[in-house]
mmCIF file of all heavy atoms in Angstrom:
data_model
loop_
_atom_site.group_PDB
_atom_site.id
_atom_site.type_symbol
_atom_site.label_atom_id
_atom_site.label_comp_id
_atom_site.label_asym_id
_atom_site.label_seq_id
_atom_site.Cartn_x
_atom_site.Cartn_y
_atom_site.Cartn_z
ATOM 1 N N GLU A 905 46.781 9.564 85.345
ATOM 2 C CA GLU A 905 47.954 10.431 85.295
ATOM 3 C C GLU A 905 49.201 9.711 84.787
ATOM 4 O O GLU A 905 49.861 10.184 83.849
ATOM 5 C CB GLU A 905 48.223 11.014 86.682
ATOM 6 C CG GLU A 905 49.402 11.969 86.713
ATOM 7 C CD GLU A 905 49.621 12.556 88.091
ATOM 8 O OE1 GLU A 905 48.830 12.248 89.008
ATOM 9 O OE2 GLU A 905 50.588 13.318 88.254
ATOM 10 N N HIS A 906 49.562 8.576 85.399
ATOM 11 C CA HIS A 906 50.821 7.954 85.009
ATOM 12 C C HIS A 906 50.748 7.361 83.600
ATOM 13 O O HIS A 906 51.745 7.328 82.887
ATOM 14 C CB HIS A 906 51.261 6.888 86.029
ATOM 15 C CG HIS A 906 50.256 5.824 86.295
ATOM 16 N ND1 HIS A 906 49.268 5.956 87.247
ATOM 17 C CD2 HIS A 906 50.073 4.598 85.739
ATOM 18 C CE1 HIS A 906 48.530 4.869 87.278
ATOM 19 N NE2 HIS A 906 48.989 4.029 86.362
ATOM 20 N N PHE A 907 49.546 6.926 83.163
ATOM 21 C CA PHE A 907 49.419 6.453 81.786
ATOM 22 C C PHE A 907 49.499 7.616 80.794
ATOM 23 O O PHE A 907 50.051 7.464 79.703
ATOM 24 C CB PHE A 907 48.113 5.691 81.609
ATOM 25 C CG PHE A 907 48.090 4.346 82.298
ATOM 26 C CD1 PHE A 907 46.984 3.923 83.027
ATOM 27 C CD2 PHE A 907 49.179 3.491 82.213
ATOM 28 C CE1 PHE A 907 46.968 2.696 83.655
ATOM 29 C CE2 PHE A 907 49.172 2.247 82.843
ATOM 30 C CZ PHE A 907 48.060 1.857 83.567
ATOM 31 N N SER A 908 48.939 8.754 81.167
ATOM 32 C CA SER A 908 49.052 9.941 80.314
ATOM 33 C C SER A 908 50.500 10.378 80.181
ATOM 34 O O SER A 908 50.952 10.797 79.105
ATOM 35 C CB SER A 908 48.202 11.078 80.886
ATOM 36 O OG SER A 908 46.839 10.735 80.914
ATOM 37 N N LYS A 909 51.247 10.274 81.267
ATOM 38 C CA LYS A 909 52.668 10.617 81.231
ATOM 39 C C LYS A 909 53.426 9.658 80.311
ATOM 40 O O LYS A 909 54.301 10.082 79.550
ATOM 41 C CB LYS A 909 53.232 10.565 82.650
ATOM 42 C CG LYS A 909 54.687 10.978 82.752
ATOM 43 C CD LYS A 909 55.157 10.958 84.199
ATOM 44 C CE LYS A 909 56.634 11.345 84.292
ATOM 45 N NZ LYS A 909 57.103 11.312 85.707
ATOM 46 N N MET A 910 53.070 8.390 80.393
ATOM 47 C CA MET A 910 53.705 7.411 79.508
ATOM 48 C C MET A 910 53.385 7.711 78.050
ATOM 49 O O MET A 910 54.247 7.587 77.167
ATOM 50 C CB MET A 910 53.230 5.998 79.855
ATOM 51 C CG MET A 910 53.739 5.469 81.173
ATOM 52 S SD MET A 910 53.121 3.797 81.466
ATOM 53 C CE MET A 910 53.837 3.461 83.072
ATOM 54 N N TRP A 911 52.136 8.096 77.755
ATOM 55 C CA TRP A 911 51.757 8.387 76.382
ATOM 56 C C TRP A 911 52.551 9.580 75.840
ATOM 57 O O TRP A 911 52.972 9.571 74.684
ATOM 58 C CB TRP A 911 50.263 8.651 76.302
ATOM 59 C CG TRP A 911 49.812 9.148 74.950
ATOM 60 C CD1 TRP A 911 49.265 10.350 74.654
ATOM 61 C CD2 TRP A 911 49.902 8.440 73.714
ATOM 62 N NE1 TRP A 911 48.993 10.444 73.313
ATOM 63 C CE2 TRP A 911 49.378 9.277 72.707
ATOM 64 C CE3 TRP A 911 50.376 7.168 73.354
ATOM 65 C CZ2 TRP A 911 49.315 8.898 71.377
ATOM 66 C CZ3 TRP A 911 50.320 6.798 72.028
ATOM 67 C CH2 TRP A 911 49.793 7.652 71.051
ATOM 68 N N ALA A 912 52.736 10.585 76.668
ATOM 69 C CA ALA A 912 53.528 11.732 76.232
ATOM 70 C C ALA A 912 54.961 11.315 75.939
ATOM 71 O O ALA A 912 55.581 11.781 74.969
ATOM 72 C CB ALA A 912 53.488 12.817 77.315
ATOM 73 N N GLN A 913 55.491 10.410 76.752
ATOM 74 C CA GLN A 913 56.850 9.935 76.537
ATOM 75 C C GLN A 913 56.938 9.135 75.229
ATOM 76 O O GLN A 913 57.886 9.290 74.444
ATOM 77 C CB GLN A 913 57.278 9.050 77.717
ATOM 78 C CG GLN A 913 58.689 8.494 77.637
ATOM 79 C CD GLN A 913 59.756 9.529 77.932
ATOM 80 O OE1 GLN A 913 59.456 10.582 78.496
ATOM 81 N NE2 GLN A 913 60.993 9.254 77.560
ATOM 82 N N MET A 914 55.940 8.269 74.986
ATOM 83 C CA MET A 914 55.971 7.414 73.801
ATOM 84 C C MET A 914 55.727 8.192 72.515
ATOM 85 O O MET A 914 56.365 7.943 71.490
ATOM 86 C CB MET A 914 54.915 6.305 73.932
ATOM 87 C CG MET A 914 55.234 5.224 74.944
ATOM 88 S SD MET A 914 54.049 3.848 74.893
ATOM 89 C CE MET A 914 52.603 4.609 75.621
ATOM 90 N N SER A 915 54.762 9.107 72.536
ATOM 91 C CA SER A 915 54.307 9.744 71.304
ATOM 92 C C SER A 915 55.075 11.008 70.954
ATOM 93 O O SER A 915 55.207 11.345 69.770
ATOM 94 C CB SER A 915 52.821 10.078 71.407
ATOM 95 O OG SER A 915 52.583 10.985 72.480
ATOM 96 N N GLU A 916 55.596 11.710 71.933
ATOM 97 C CA GLU A 916 56.212 13.009 71.666
ATOM 98 C C GLU A 916 57.714 13.008 71.937
ATOM 99 O O GLU A 916 58.508 13.430 71.089
ATOM 100 C CB GLU A 916 55.525 14.085 72.510
ATOM 101 C CG GLU A 916 54.035 14.247 72.187
ATOM 102 C CD GLU A 916 53.367 15.253 73.095
ATOM 103 O OE1 GLU A 916 54.091 15.935 73.859
ATOM 104 O OE2 GLU A 916 52.121 15.362 73.049
ATOM 105 N N ILE A 917 58.107 12.550 73.098
ATOM 106 C CA ILE A 917 59.523 12.630 73.474
ATOM 107 C C ILE A 917 60.333 11.568 72.738
ATOM 108 O O ILE A 917 61.419 11.852 72.214
ATOM 109 C CB ILE A 917 59.672 12.476 75.004
ATOM 110 C CG1 ILE A 917 58.886 13.587 75.716
ATOM 111 C CG2 ILE A 917 61.137 12.521 75.400
ATOM 112 C CD1 ILE A 917 58.893 13.464 77.222
ATOM 113 N N GLU A 918 59.816 10.348 72.684
ATOM 114 C CA GLU A 918 60.531 9.249 72.023
ATOM 115 C C GLU A 918 59.583 8.535 71.060
ATOM 116 O O GLU A 918 59.164 7.399 71.303
ATOM 117 C CB GLU A 918 61.085 8.266 73.049
ATOM 118 C CG GLU A 918 62.156 8.860 73.945
ATOM 119 C CD GLU A 918 62.639 7.873 74.985
ATOM 120 O OE1 GLU A 918 61.957 6.833 75.166
ATOM 121 O OE2 GLU A 918 63.676 8.122 75.608
ATOM 122 N N PRO A 919 59.203 9.177 69.954
ATOM 123 C CA PRO A 919 58.256 8.535 69.024
ATOM 124 C C PRO A 919 58.800 7.280 68.367
ATOM 125 O O PRO A 919 58.036 6.459 67.874
ATOM 126 C CB PRO A 919 57.997 9.645 67.986
ATOM 127 C CG PRO A 919 59.188 10.547 68.077
ATOM 128 C CD PRO A 919 59.636 10.503 69.513
ATOM 129 N N ASP A 920 60.126 7.112 68.348
ATOM 130 C CA ASP A 920 60.689 5.908 67.744
ATOM 131 C C ASP A 920 60.446 4.673 68.587
ATOM 132 O O ASP A 920 60.737 3.541 68.154
ATOM 133 C CB ASP A 920 62.189 6.089 67.502
ATOM 134 C CG ASP A 920 62.957 6.359 68.787
ATOM 135 O OD1 ASP A 920 62.363 6.953 69.719
ATOM 136 O OD2 ASP A 920 64.136 5.996 68.864
ATOM 137 N N SER A 921 59.914 4.853 69.797
ATOM 138 C CA SER A 921 59.604 3.702 70.642
ATOM 139 C C SER A 921 58.327 2.990 70.185
ATOM 140 O O SER A 921 58.081 1.864 70.581
ATOM 141 C CB SER A 921 59.451 4.134 72.095
ATOM 142 O OG SER A 921 58.355 5.028 72.244
ATOM 143 N N MET A 922 57.516 3.641 69.338
ATOM 144 C CA MET A 922 56.328 2.993 68.777
ATOM 145 C C MET A 922 56.747 2.115 67.602
ATOM 146 O O MET A 922 57.634 2.472 66.824
ATOM 147 C CB MET A 922 55.319 4.040 68.318
ATOM 148 C CG MET A 922 54.895 5.011 69.413
ATOM 149 S SD MET A 922 53.976 4.190 70.730
ATOM 150 C CE MET A 922 52.435 3.886 69.888
ATOM 151 N N VAL A 923 56.096 0.956 67.480
ATOM 152 C CA VAL A 923 56.480 -0.017 66.452
ATOM 153 C C VAL A 923 55.304 -0.253 65.511
ATOM 154 O O VAL A 923 54.155 0.071 65.824
ATOM 155 C CB VAL A 923 56.922 -1.346 67.094
ATOM 156 C CG1 VAL A 923 58.168 -1.139 67.939
ATOM 157 C CG2 VAL A 923 55.799 -1.946 67.944
ATOM 158 N N ASP A 924 55.604 -0.832 64.361
ATOM 159 C CA ASP A 924 54.582 -1.074 63.344
ATOM 160 C C ASP A 924 53.807 -2.356 63.584
ATOM 161 O O ASP A 924 52.657 -2.474 63.169
ATOM 162 C CB ASP A 924 55.221 -1.124 61.953
ATOM 163 C CG ASP A 924 55.794 0.225 61.543
ATOM 164 O OD1 ASP A 924 55.222 1.260 61.947
ATOM 165 O OD2 ASP A 924 56.822 0.247 60.839
ATOM 166 N N ASN A 925 54.430 -3.328 64.240
ATOM 167 C CA ASN A 925 53.743 -4.593 64.494
ATOM 168 C C ASN A 925 54.368 -5.262 65.707
ATOM 169 O O ASN A 925 55.398 -4.817 66.231
ATOM 170 C CB ASN A 925 53.813 -5.514 63.273
ATOM 171 C CG ASN A 925 55.226 -5.643 62.719
ATOM 172 O OD1 ASN A 925 56.136 -6.081 63.419
ATOM 173 N ND2 ASN A 925 55.404 -5.249 61.467
ATOM 174 N N THR A 926 53.762 -6.347 66.161
ATOM 175 C CA THR A 926 54.243 -7.019 67.365
ATOM 176 C C THR A 926 55.588 -7.696 67.141
ATOM 177 O O THR A 926 56.381 -7.810 68.077
ATOM 178 C CB THR A 926 53.216 -8.071 67.820
ATOM 179 O OG1 THR A 926 52.939 -8.960 66.730
ATOM 180 C CG2 THR A 926 51.921 -7.397 68.245
ATOM 181 N N THR A 927 55.843 -8.139 65.924
ATOM 182 C CA THR A 927 57.144 -8.761 65.641
ATOM 183 C C THR A 927 58.268 -7.776 65.903
ATOM 184 O O THR A 927 59.292 -8.123 66.521
ATOM 185 C CB THR A 927 57.195 -9.251 64.184
ATOM 186 O OG1 THR A 927 56.131 -10.182 63.954
ATOM 187 C CG2 THR A 927 58.518 -9.922 63.899
ATOM 188 N N GLU A 928 58.101 -6.549 65.453
ATOM 189 C CA GLU A 928 59.112 -5.520 65.708
ATOM 190 C C GLU A 928 59.203 -5.197 67.191
ATOM 191 O O GLU A 928 60.292 -4.987 67.737
ATOM 192 C CB GLU A 928 58.769 -4.259 64.921
ATOM 193 C CG GLU A 928 59.790 -3.136 65.081
ATOM 194 C CD GLU A 928 59.403 -1.886 64.316
ATOM 195 O OE1 GLU A 928 58.413 -1.943 63.542
ATOM 196 O OE2 GLU A 928 60.069 -0.851 64.494
ATOM 197 N N GLY A 929 58.059 -5.178 67.871
ATOM 198 C CA GLY A 929 58.061 -4.889 69.301
ATOM 199 C C GLY A 929 58.806 -5.931 70.104
ATOM 200 O O GLY A 929 59.648 -5.599 70.952
ATOM 201 N N TYR A 930 58.536 -7.213 69.839
ATOM 202 C CA TYR A 930 59.236 -8.268 70.569
ATOM 203 C C TYR A 930 60.709 -8.331 70.178
ATOM 204 O O TYR A 930 61.548 -8.747 70.992
ATOM 205 C CB TYR A 930 58.553 -9.609 70.327
ATOM 206 C CG TYR A 930 57.211 -9.725 71.013
ATOM 207 C CD1 TYR A 930 56.060 -10.016 70.296
ATOM 208 C CD2 TYR A 930 57.101 -9.515 72.383
ATOM 209 C CE1 TYR A 930 54.826 -10.113 70.926
ATOM 210 C CE2 TYR A 930 55.869 -9.610 73.021
ATOM 211 C CZ TYR A 930 54.737 -9.909 72.286
ATOM 212 O OH TYR A 930 53.524 -9.991 72.910
ATOM 213 N N GLY A 931 61.019 -7.911 68.961
ATOM 214 C CA GLY A 931 62.428 -7.831 68.570
ATOM 215 C C GLY A 931 63.179 -6.805 69.396
ATOM 216 O O GLY A 931 64.319 -7.039 69.815
ATOM 217 N N LYS A 932 62.547 -5.679 69.653
ATOM 218 C CA LYS A 932 63.175 -4.658 70.498
ATOM 219 C C LYS A 932 63.323 -5.143 71.933
ATOM 220 O O LYS A 932 64.312 -4.830 72.602
ATOM 221 C CB LYS A 932 62.350 -3.372 70.468
ATOM 222 C CG LYS A 932 62.519 -2.540 69.206
ATOM 223 C CD LYS A 932 61.934 -1.146 69.409
ATOM 224 C CE LYS A 932 62.309 -0.229 68.267
ATOM 225 N NZ LYS A 932 61.898 1.171 68.521
ATOM 226 N N VAL A 933 62.339 -5.909 72.401
ATOM 227 C CA VAL A 933 62.441 -6.466 73.753
ATOM 228 C C VAL A 933 63.649 -7.391 73.846
ATOM 229 O O VAL A 933 64.421 -7.344 74.821
ATOM 230 C CB VAL A 933 61.147 -7.214 74.123
ATOM 231 C CG1 VAL A 933 61.333 -8.004 75.422
ATOM 232 C CG2 VAL A 933 59.989 -6.238 74.274
ATOM 233 N N THR A 934 63.858 -8.215 72.851
ATOM 234 C CA THR A 934 64.989 -9.144 72.845
ATOM 235 C C THR A 934 66.315 -8.394 72.835
ATOM 236 O O THR A 934 67.294 -8.835 73.450
ATOM 237 C CB THR A 934 64.898 -10.078 71.627
ATOM 238 O OG1 THR A 934 63.640 -10.765 71.653
ATOM 239 C CG2 THR A 934 66.023 -11.096 71.647
#
Side-chain angles (χ1 to χ4, degrees):
E905 182 179 358
H906 55 273
F907 289 136
S908 298
K909 183 178 179 181
M910 290 180 181
W911 172 244
Q913 181 75 17
M914 288 187 288
S915 61
E916 298 176 8
I917 301 176
E918 295 178 346
D920 60 330
S921 63
M922 303 294 287
V923 296
D924 294 327
N925 49 60
T926 55
T927 302
E928 182 181 352
Y930 289 124
K932 283 193 170 187
V933 170
T934 303

